Amino acid sequence: MIPQYRSLLLAFSVLVSLFQTAGIFAAQQQFEVRFTKAVHPQPFTGRVYLFFSRSDRDPRLGPSWFHPESFVARDVTDWKPGEVLAFSAETPGLLAYPKPYSEMDLNGYKVQAVARFNVREPKIGTGPGNGFSQVVSVPAVIPSKPPLLTIESLVPTKPFPETRWSKLIRVRSELLSKFHGQDTFLEASVLLPQSYYDQPGRKYPVIFSIPGFGGDHLRGIRNQPIAEQNEQGVEFLRVLLNPQCQWGHHVFADSATNGRVGEAFTTEFIPALEKAFRAIPHSRARFLTGHSSGGWSSLWLQITYPDQFGGTWSTAPDPVDFRDFQLINIYEPGSNVYRDAHGRRRPIARRDGKPILWFEPFAKMEHVLGHGGQLRSFEAVFSPRGADGKPLNLYNRETGAVDPQVAEAWKAYDIRLILEENWEKLAPQLGGKIHIFMGDEDTFYLDGATVLLKQTLDRLNGNIAGGTVVEIHPGKTHSSLITNELRLRFRKEMVQSFLAHQAEIESALRADKQ
């Protein structure tokens, strides 16, 4: 070879390598995916993903809300076991985040495939029953044959290891099973009080705790009972509920998409719990608490079923006034989720007073992920159901424009509006039962709605015996709001409420026996 041509060839090779490293040839990077008959014997219709990551964790465990890495997805119909599925920049209908697949720089990443076999599970890479492949390093140089990712493992079902003090309750709901066309259960962990085995004839008041988005009842497993810190000797059954459903968090509200969850909880689950675990069957012996989406849930149950619960202690609830839905007034004409009236992009989360997450990219990330995300979870509760069986979108996913007809339908779940319009009827039933706590620097901008609710309740409280409590705690965020001191205060107030109505409870129980 002529020396100068050899030099030119060498220089060209270096340039090719540099272009590949920079992602210039990312459009040529392809992957092939298949699944085995052992993990899913029938053809699969649903969504398949490739998750990419540079971390030490399996890519399927992402993406993180605050630091999402790249991933792509495509929907398949009747994909057969063993059949090879291609992922490339030319794949029709390929969804990608945070940028088009052809623009992704995948150098230095690992990749893992996931098939969403379990459509009822809100989580993807960690959802029980979903399939996943081995982890493969993305080749530094485009290979002659695309890497093959074989989905041959299933995410296992998480066991509930019962102990002497932690028990599982799982109640089949006739209402929800009929609605969904298959067996549907409400479940929870039950933490027994210290005297439970020593006093077999004793019945107990109950604290129902509702986790926030992504939480479940599996966090309620303990090897020891909680030592009650009150001189009156009041002990509680503590029930940690599982709020997860296909669309994310059903917030224990009746809805067109999730079914009549609130009705099922109050008419099916609670009677079963009281029979199985010696809970006192009286409204004044039932207390609610929850954080974030769980905070909204506990407040919703209290105002929707005011005579069935003795009070709620709600912390950092999701928006309780839709005039400030995380900074957005969804009722305002021309409202836009992505941009404010001045065209500035809307934040959805902050840290140290500075925005760190924005609505538009967050919403588009959820669009690629599919059902089970936080924003879609709201729509599954608050929106009417479309002809395709899915909840109607509150806003256009491309432009962010709010649909005023859907926003109007959301009024049925606007807690401030419900209280305001029904206060004459609800006031006598809610006296002393509402306790809401929020940090004024809430991470997800939830404080604005709570402030509006507080203003409304302050104005209405002259008509309610016992009043309501809405506290805005200075300097507290979504995660720093609940301190041990505040937690002990909640328990003390629940004890006081129970004792204040003990005579009423005992009288009702005696009447039931006669």
Side-chain angles (χ1 to χ4, degrees), residues 1-16:
M1 180 179 290
I2 300 174
Q4 58 266 37
Y5 290 144
R6 186 183 295 114
S7 299
L8 286 171
L9 183 59
L10 179 59
F12 179 74
S13 299
V14 171
L15 283 173
V16 168

Side-chain angles (χ1 to χ4, degrees), residues 8 16 64-65 102 108-109 121 207 219 221 241 254 289 320 325 328 359 361 363 382 422 447 459-461 464 502:
L8 286 171
V16 168
S64 160
W65 276 11
S102 61
Y109 280 82
E121 171 59 44
I207 300 173
R219 301 177 186 179
I221 300 170
L241 299 166
D254 295 347
T289 188
V320 292
F325 197 91
I328 305 161
F359 254 105
F382 307 146
N422 300 277
D447 49 303
R459 176 169 52 83
L460 296 171
N461 260 338
I464 183 170
Q502 194 167 24

Side-chain angles (χ1 to χ4, degrees), residues 119-276:
V119 70
R120 299 191 72 188
E121 171 59 44
K123 297 180 180 178
I124 302 172
T126 60
N130 288 340
F132 62 93
S133 74
Q134 75 279 31
V135 177
V136 171
S137 294
V138 176
V141 177
I142 306 298
S144 58
K145 183 174 177 56
L148 177 63
L149 301 169
T150 301
I151 296 173
E152 53 189 356
S153 300
L154 293 177
V155 179
T157 299
K158 297 177 182 177
F160 187 98
E162 288 194 345
T163 70
R164 177 174 170 81
W165 301 105
S166 296
K167 303 298 180 181
L168 173 68
I169 180 169
R170 198 162 183 259
V171 178
R172 182 185 181 275
S173 166
E174 183 65 30
L175 279 170
L176 297 178
S177 297
K178 184 177 180 180
F179 178 84
H180 292 292
Q182 56 184 303
D183 286 345
T184 304
F185 296 83
L186 294 175
E187 55 189 2
S189 61
V190 181
L191 180 60
L192 304 178
Q194 202 160 12
S195 65
Y196 192 81
Y197 294 106
D198 296 333
Q199 302 179 36
R202 182 175 175 180
K203 292 189 176 183
Y204 300 88
V206 180
I207 300 173
F208 293 100
S209 297
I210 307 174
F213 186 84
D216 58 33
H217 62 304
L218 297 177
R219 301 177 186 179
I221 300 170
R222 292 175 63 98
N223 292 316
Q224 296 293 330
I226 293 177
E228 303 289 0
Q229 299 183 32
N230 66 84
E231 298 177 355
Q232 297 87 349
V234 177
E235 292 181 276
F236 296 94
L237 282 165
R238 286 174 167 79
V239 179
L240 182 62
L241 299 166
N242 181 11
Q244 291 196 45
C245 66
Q246 173 182 347
W247 294 95
H249 195 300
H250 55 55
V251 298
F252 290 92
D254 295 347
S255 73
T257 300
N258 294 328
R260 304 191 66 80
V261 185
E263 184 179 348
F265 175 65
T266 52
T267 64
E268 297 176 325
F269 181 86
I270 288 180
L273 171 83
E274 292 173 345
K275 182 178 180 180

